[in-house]
């Protein structure tokens, strides 16, 4: 059997390697139109700054390894210009005709380049997708005395590029994002942590503003604001590469990606497709989606190989687990965001907690903010986290729980490793499950940042803590005093109790609920989350000149 793989990235290379392990007699050929194969694309921002020093480190595998160890043939600079499904052949570089028994389409995606005046043929504007792109950026910065760097787009790559450009000596970095916050997979509260730390490290953030046009020296924004630049990185997303699929008549999905079934087969049973070019099913919403992530691409390559070799293998939807480094901070997420759930009209509950990275009595413990989204049946819809240690560990645990269709109650029962240097007896994952359980059972009514305005705010911390800092307009009744002072509070007004992170206010709300109060709420995340959101709001207003 002859298998031709178009594309030598994560999906294509994984498919070829897996297929060889399953069938040592198959004839396997990878056609890659560039001169790069198995490049660590996710590491490109760090290579641009020199955090990853050696170019050799960016190669996940090599032509020699594929040929010598796996007996897989590779042709670089081999662009497939046509697929003839009837004759089961492909045309390479417009000349060479090659036959196949099974074809794997893994062409990946290309950087989006919006039709904005001043982009075309501008030597100062770059995209980041291939190793050569990073080499060009490094060379340009080195040879052109770059002082002002601008990143357009606040997704994962945009944020990573902004951080790494800011690490270069003498480079002032600005990030421009058209949406109201960076990092689209997470919500505004989680993004606020990233935005605050980026500003603390000197990155200028311009939000809720887009590019109108480029001059040779300045970027003119929709707001009229002008930003000087020596180099621009376009990081406004990617588009699935589907030209070959369209030209040969394969079905294209609603999102613009190649349509495949659970076996990763296209509408032609002899052609498989995977990676950034295909449309997948979202785990939470059940709707078609484009999820250009390395993990799913590698798994899809393995599944394609299994099916070609005769082993029935399925792709089981995409959760979209992801993590990004923002200086010392880690932002991680899995599943749907609140914004997506609201947009799709999917009912949900939410809660915020703060958990220590390990036992707080053991030196070096740091706090992580968690946001959990779930429904009335206890189904976990999404999780987000922002912190410094163990962040991705807990998100991974919850993503695994989602994959196994576990409920929030199962998080309570999760038996996770514990020793003081690593965790707490009640892990943050357990605490999230307990919070959700309390909400669903009606033991507590959660309040959020948006509930503060118009409510009676009660700071239930000690007098000393209250006098040190509080939320404007709040009154102070220390939790132990509530049992005797509850008569000072009205029962006909919405009351929001708050403390540092939300636990003490939960205890206080239980006291009042058992005293007959039905309109009392606990501010999830407490004043700690409130301060982070206020800091972000103030800086955002300052950046717009308001």
């Amino acid at each position: 059997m002859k298998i031709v793989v178009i594309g030598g990235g994560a999906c294509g290379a994984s498919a070829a390697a897996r297929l060889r392990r399953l069938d040592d007699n198959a004839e396997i050929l990878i056609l890659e139109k560039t001169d790069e194969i198995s490049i660590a694309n996710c590491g490109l921002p760090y290579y641009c700054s020199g955090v990853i020093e050696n170019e050799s480190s960016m190669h996940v595998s090599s032509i020699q390894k594929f040929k010598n160890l796996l007996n897989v043939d590779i042709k670089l600079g081999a662009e497939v210009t046509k697929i003839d499904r009837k004759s089961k052949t492909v045309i390479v570089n417009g000349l060479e005709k090659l036959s196949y028994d099974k074809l794997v389409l893994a062409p990946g995606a290309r950087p989006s380049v919006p039709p904005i005046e001043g982009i075309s043929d501008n030597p100062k504007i770059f995209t980041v997708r291939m190793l050569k792109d990073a080499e060009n950026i490094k060379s340009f910065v080195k040879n052109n005395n770059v002082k002002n760097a601008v990143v357009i787009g606040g997704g994962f790559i945009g944020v990573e590029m902004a951080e790494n450009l800011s690490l270069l000596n003498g480079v002032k970095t600005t990030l421009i994002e058209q949406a109201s916050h960076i990092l689209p997979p997470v919500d505004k509260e989680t993004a606020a942590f990233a935005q605050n730390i980026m500003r603390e490290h000197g990155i200028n953030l311009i939000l809720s503003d887009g590019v109108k046009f480029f001059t040779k020296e300045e970027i003119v924004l929709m707001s009229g604001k002008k930003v000087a630049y020596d180099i621009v990185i376009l990081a406004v997303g990617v588009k699935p590469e589907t030209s070959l699929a369209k030209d040969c008549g394969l079905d294209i999905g609603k999102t613009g990606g190649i349509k495949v079934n659970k076996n990763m087969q296209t509408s032609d049973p002899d052609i498989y497709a995977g990676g950034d070019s295909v449309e997948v099913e979202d785990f939470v919403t059940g709707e078609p989606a484009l999820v250009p992530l390395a993990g799913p691409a590698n798994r899809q390559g393995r599944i394609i190989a299994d099916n070609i070799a005769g082993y029935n293998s399925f792709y089981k939807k995409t959760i979209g687990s992801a993590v990004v480094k923002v200086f010392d901070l880690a932002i991680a997420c899995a599943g749907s965001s609140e914004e997506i759930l609201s947009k799709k009209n999917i009912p949900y509950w939410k809660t915020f907690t703060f958990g220590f990275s390990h036992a707080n009595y053991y030196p070096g413990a740091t706090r992580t903010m968690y946001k959990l989204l779930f429904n009335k049946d206890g189904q976990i819809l999404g999780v987000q986290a922002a912190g410094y240690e163990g962040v991705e560990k807990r998100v991974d645990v919850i993503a695994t729980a989602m994959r196994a269709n576990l409920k929030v109650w199962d998080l309570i029962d999760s038996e996770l490793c514990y020793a003081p240097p690593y965790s707490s007896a009640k892990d943050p994952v357990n605490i999230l499950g307990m919070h959700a359980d309390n909400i669903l059972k009606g033991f507590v009514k959660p309040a959020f940042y948006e509930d503060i305005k118009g409510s009676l705010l009660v700071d239930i911390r000690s007098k000393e803590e209250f006098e040190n800092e509080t939320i404007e307009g709040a009154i102070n009744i220390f939790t132990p005093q509530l049992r005797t002072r509850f008569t000072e509070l009205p029962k006909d007004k919405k009351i929001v109790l708050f403390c540092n992170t939300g636990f003490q206010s939960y205890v206080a709300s239980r006291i009042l609920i058992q005293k007959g109060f039905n309109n009392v709420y606990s501010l999830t995340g407490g004043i700690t989350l409130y301060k982070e959101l206020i800091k972000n709001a103030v800086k955002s207003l300052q950046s717009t000149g308001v």
Side-chain angles (χ1 to χ4, degrees):
M1 183 165 57
K2 184 175 182 180
I3 299 98
V4 172
V5 180
I6 300 176
C11 177
S14 293
R18 171 71 169 174
L19 192 57
R20 172 57 73 224
R21 292 191 291 270
L22 297 177
D23 184 352
D24 202 51
N25 296 313
E27 183 180 345
I28 306 171
L29 170 64
I30 297 177
L31 300 174
E32 170 56 50
K33 69 178 181 179
T34 72
D35 59 355
E36 304 173 9
I37 187 169
S38 289
I39 299 300
N41 302 81
C42 298
L44 291 175
Y46 305 99
Y47 181 61
C48 287
S49 65
V51 171
I52 298 175
E53 296 181 2
N54 300 319
E55 187 260 357
S56 59
S57 300
M58 297 299 297
H59 295 267
V60 178
S61 189
S62 65
I63 293 178
Q64 290 72 27
K65 185 174 181 180
F66 269 97
K67 288 185 175 180
N68 297 335
L69 179 64
L70 298 172
N71 191 28
V72 170
D73 194 18
I74 296 173
K75 290 187 177 183
L76 298 180
E79 181 175 6
V80 175
T81 53
K82 183 180 179 180
I83 299 171
D84 188 325
R85 292 164 53 195
K86 287 186 177 181
S87 64
K88 298 183 77 170
T89 58
V90 298
I91 304 299
V92 181
N93 295 330
L95 299 171
E96 186 179 7
K97 180 182 289 188
L98 299 173
S99 63
Y100 67 84
D101 295 307
K102 301 291 182 182
L103 182 67
V104 179
L105 270 176
R110 63 186 185 280
S112 295
V113 179
I116 297 174
E117 179 184 342
I119 286 184
S120 181
D121 298 322
N122 190 326
K124 295 182 180 181
I125 299 178
F126 298 82
T127 57
V128 186
R129 187 66 178 173
M130 305 297 294
L131 184 59
K132 67 177 182 180
D133 298 328
E135 296 285 9
N136 290 338
I137 291 168
K138 292 178 71 171
S139 176
F140 187 88
V141 171
K142 180 180 178 181
N143 298 324
N144 290 275
N145 191 31
V146 168
K147 298 297 182 184
N148 294 298
V150 179
V151 177
I152 311 294
F156 286 178
I157 294 297
V159 168
E160 290 171 340
M161 281 303 304
E163 173 186 341
N164 282 278
L165 287 169
S166 75
L167 297 177
L168 300 175
N169 289 334
V171 177
K172 180 181 178 182
T173 305
T174 297
L175 186 148
I176 300 169
E177 170 55 53
Q178 193 167 10
S180 60
H181 67 78
I182 61 173
L183 300 175
V186 303
D187 292 311
K188 59 185 178 182
E189 302 94 349
T190 311
F193 286 81
Q195 289 167 185
N196 287 335
I197 200 168
M198 291 179 77
R199 293 184 181 110
E200 289 169 10
H201 282 81
I203 295 176
N204 177 34
L205 294 182
I206 300 176
L207 306 175
S208 302
D209 207 349
V211 177
K212 190 173 183 180
F213 62 87
F214 292 86
T215 70
K216 291 183 178 180
E217 306 295 334
E218 293 180 322
I219 303 170
V220 180
L221 304 182
M222 294 297 183
S223 63
K225 183 180 293 186
K226 297 179 180 179
V227 182
Y229 73 94
D230 299 313
I231 187 173
V232 170
I233 307 298
L234 279 180
V236 293
V238 296
K239 292 183 178 181
E241 183 54 74
T242 58
S243 56
L244 282 173
K246 288 178 180 178
D247 290 346
C248 72
L250 296 179
D251 289 349
I252 304 297
K254 295 179 180 178
T255 63
I258 302 171
K259 194 170 185 177
V260 293
N261 61 19
K262 290 182 179 181
N263 298 112
M264 304 309 296
Q265 276 178 307
T266 67
S267 51
D268 184 326
D270 290 321
I271 301 179
Y272 294 76
D276 295 355
S277 62
V278 303
E279 177 182 271
V280 296
E281 185 179 350
D282 184 88
F283 184 85
V284 175
T285 68
E287 295 185 3
L290 296 173
V291 185
L293 294 172
N298 276 283
R299 293 201 307 279
Q300 289 161 11
R302 179 185 177 92
I303 289 166
I304 289 170
D306 285 353
N307 286 298
I308 290 175
Y311 301 95
N312 196 19
S313 189
F314 298 97
Y315 186 71
K316 302 174 182 178
K317 305 182 183 179
T318 297
I319 291 178
S321 302
V323 63
V324 62
K325 174 185 175 295
V326 191
F327 294 95
D328 295 331
L329 186 73
I331 302 286
C333 63
S336 288
S337 66
E338 182 178 359
E339 293 171 12
I340 290 295
L341 295 175
S342 296
K343 184 177 180 181
K344 301 294 184 182
N345 294 314
I346 298 174
Y348 65 91
W349 287 91
K350 65 179 177 179
T351 190
F352 296 89
T353 68
F354 279 88
F356 283 105
S357 55
H358 55 256
N360 63 347
Y361 59 83
Y362 186 88
T366 59
R367 271 200 171 117
T368 297
M369 188 282 293
Y370 296 93
K371 179 176 185 178
L372 186 68
L373 296 150
F374 52 99
N375 66 17
K376 64 180 179 62
D377 299 318
Q379 180 186 2
I380 304 167
L381 304 176
V383 62
Q384 301 167 30
Y388 297 91
E389 182 185 355
V391 178
E392 74 291 344
K393 167 189 172 181
R394 272 80 186 203
V395 170
D396 284 344
V397 169
I398 295 173
T400 302
M402 292 175 68
R403 176 66 70 188
N405 291 313
L406 301 181
K407 304 297 172 83
V408 294
W409 301 286
D410 296 303
L411 299 182
I412 302 174
D413 297 327
S414 298
E415 294 188 27
L416 306 175
C417 293
Y418 162 60
Y422 302 105
S423 184
S424 301
K426 290 181 182 178
D427 190 87
V429 170
N430 303 133
I431 297 296
L432 277 171
M434 294 173 187
H435 266 251
D437 176 60
N438 286 334
I439 290 170
L440 292 176
K441 287 180 177 175
F443 292 161
V444 64
K445 294 181 179 180
F448 311 102
Y449 176 79
E450 56 267 28
D451 296 313
I452 289 175
K453 188 176 181 180
S455 301
L456 174 60
L457 300 176
V458 183
D459 188 333
I460 50 76
R461 300 172 302 161
S462 67
K463 181 180 179 181
E464 291 74 22
E465 290 174 294
F466 171 74
E467 291 178 345
N468 181 52
E469 64 173 3
T470 192
I471 299 175
E472 185 178 356
I475 64 172
N476 177 226
I477 303 178
F478 192 26
T479 300
Q481 299 172 356
L482 275 176
R483 293 182 175 89
T484 56
R485 294 181 59 188
F486 69 90
T487 55
E488 300 174 24
L489 297 174
K491 289 189 175 182
D492 60 349
K493 188 175 179 63
K494 182 176 181 177
I495 299 171
V496 173
L497 310 174
F498 68 90
C499 59
N500 286 326
T501 60
F503 176 71
Q504 191 176 334
S505 61
Y506 157 62
V507 174
S509 73
R510 290 301 303 152
I511 294 172
L512 291 180
I513 287 171
Q514 294 175 78
K515 296 293 185 182
F517 285 78
N518 295 316
N519 205 14
V520 60
Y521 295 76
S522 171
L523 184 64
T524 60
I527 197 170
T528 303
L529 177 57
Y530 172 82
K531 289 190 298 182
E532 199 76 26
L533 298 178
I534 288 295
K535 184 199 301 184
N536 174 65
V538 169
K539 292 295 184 181
S540 294
L541 287 174
Q542 290 174 349
S543 70
T544 60
V546 177

